């Protein structure tokens, strides 16, 4: 039987290679974790991280974006600003965004404090959650929060369209009545 949905959202996970995007998604969809690292794009990124430009085509239709960094990797956190700039240049401005600090169970290897994550999120006016795909910490919460915000956003837009529609109908009636 075909799958039916109450809501269907297109979400993107963006961030440096190795921060755990695939694992976060895998934890959410399968409730499982795998330690073998196979980079999604397939490039050898060992040792040197590069910021990749993502084009407009990739963002098309995206309703939500999870910006992911690794709390044990300072560089991945610094690059969030580049990713956000890329989103601002290529994605629709009303796309719902959220910041994830992944691998939060690795407290002894932490390079980015929770406060800095919170601060950056405040700066961009987005929500922030620290997650662990490995230890299964707050991954569901992250997806549900983003989905809930997208839903609220969509409903707000519908109400606006409805109000404009009713206003125009009334205007039409008044104008016709005056003639
Ligand atoms: N300790 C720990 N390791 C994690 C966690 N999430 C992912 N990893 C590990 O980090 C490595 C990279 O994870 P991926 O999910 O493949 O990273 P990615 O962001 O998809 O990387 P690209 O596909 O190259 O962009 C893997 O070795 C994972 O096992 C986590 O929450 N805790
Ligand atoms: Mg991946």
């Amino acid at each position: 039987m075909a799958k039916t949905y109450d809501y269907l959202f297109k979400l993107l996970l963006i961030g440096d290679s190795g921060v755990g995007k695939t694992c976060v998604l895998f934890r959410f969809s399968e409730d499982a974790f795998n330690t073998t690292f196979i980079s999604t794009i397939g490039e050898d990124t060992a040792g040197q991280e590069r910021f990749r430009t993502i084009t407009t085509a990739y963002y098309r239709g995206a309703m939500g974006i999870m910006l992911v960094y690794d709390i044990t990797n300072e560089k991945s956190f610094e690059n969030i600003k580049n990713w956000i700039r890329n989103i601002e240049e290529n994605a629709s401005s009303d796309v719902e965004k959220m910041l994830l600090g992944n691998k939060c169970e690795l407290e002894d290897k932490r390079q980015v404090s929770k406060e800095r994550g919170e601060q950056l999120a405040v700066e961009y006016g987005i929500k922030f959650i620290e997650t662990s795909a490995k230890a299964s910490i707050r991954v569901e919460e992250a997806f549900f929060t983003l989905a809930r915000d997208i839903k609220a956003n969509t409903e707000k837009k519908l109400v606006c369209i409805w109000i404009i529609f009713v206003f125009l109908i009334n205007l039409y009636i008044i104008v016709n009545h005056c003639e």
Side-chain angles (χ1 to χ4, degrees):
M1 204 180 85
K3 275 192 177 176
T4 60
Y5 307 90
D6 286 335
Y7 299 96
L8 184 62
F9 298 141
K10 178 180 170 184
L11 306 181
L12 300 178
L13 285 98
I14 286 175
D16 284 2
S17 179
V19 297
K21 300 176 295 295
T22 300
C23 289
V24 165
L25 187 61
F26 196 56
R27 169 61 71 194
F28 180 67
S29 62
E30 310 293 324
D31 196 19
F33 181 79
N34 191 338
T35 47
T36 10
F37 177 39
I38 300 164
S39 185
T40 303
I41 305 281
E43 273 175 31
D44 177 16
T45 54
Q48 48 125 27
E49 187 47 65
R50 283 192 302 118
F51 169 70
R52 207 191 318 265
T53 297
I54 291 180
T55 58
T56 314
Y58 188 78
Y59 286 113
R60 197 162 296 136
M63 300 154 96
I65 300 175
M66 298 256 192
L67 284 146
V68 191
Y69 69 91
D70 170 356
I71 68 142
T72 71
N73 179 342
E74 172 75 33
K75 190 79 196 137
S76 74
F77 180 70
E78 285 166 16
N79 265 337
I80 289 292
K81 288 194 169 155
N82 294 326
W83 290 114
I84 289 183
R85 196 171 315 126
N86 191 245
I87 291 169
E88 282 168 353
E89 283 165 8
N90 295 289
S92 111
S93 60
D94 59 354
V95 63
E96 202 67 41
K97 293 180 281 294
M98 184 164 190
L99 182 64
L100 294 200
N102 190 43
K103 310 197 186 180
C104 76
E105 94 287 356
L106 295 175
E107 203 48 63
D108 53 333
K109 291 197 184 134
R110 181 188 282 274
Q111 289 183 0
V112 184
S113 71
K114 195 173 172 191
E115 289 67 34
R116 287 175 68 205
E118 278 164 354
Q119 182 58 42
L120 190 68
V122 167
E123 217 174 282
Y124 287 105
I126 60 180
K127 287 188 181 161
F128 169 66
I129 292 188
E130 280 197 347
T131 56
S132 168
K134 187 175 184 180
S136 188
I137 301 169
R138 288 184 291 271
V139 173
E140 262 205 356
E141 187 188 329
F143 279 93
F144 286 154
T145 304
L146 187 60
R148 212 176 294 122
D149 289 350
I150 292 170
K151 183 168 168 275
N153 228 355
T154 314
E155 280 162 2
K156 234 184 277 169
K157 263 187 239 158
L158 281 176
V159 169
C160 279
I161 291 171
W162 179 243
I163 289 171
I164 292 169
F165 178 72
V166 169
F167 172 78
L168 289 175
I169 292 279
N170 278 304
L171 197 65
Y172 177 79
I173 292 170
I174 291 165
V175 167
N176 273 313
H177 186 76
C178 291
E179 273 170 2

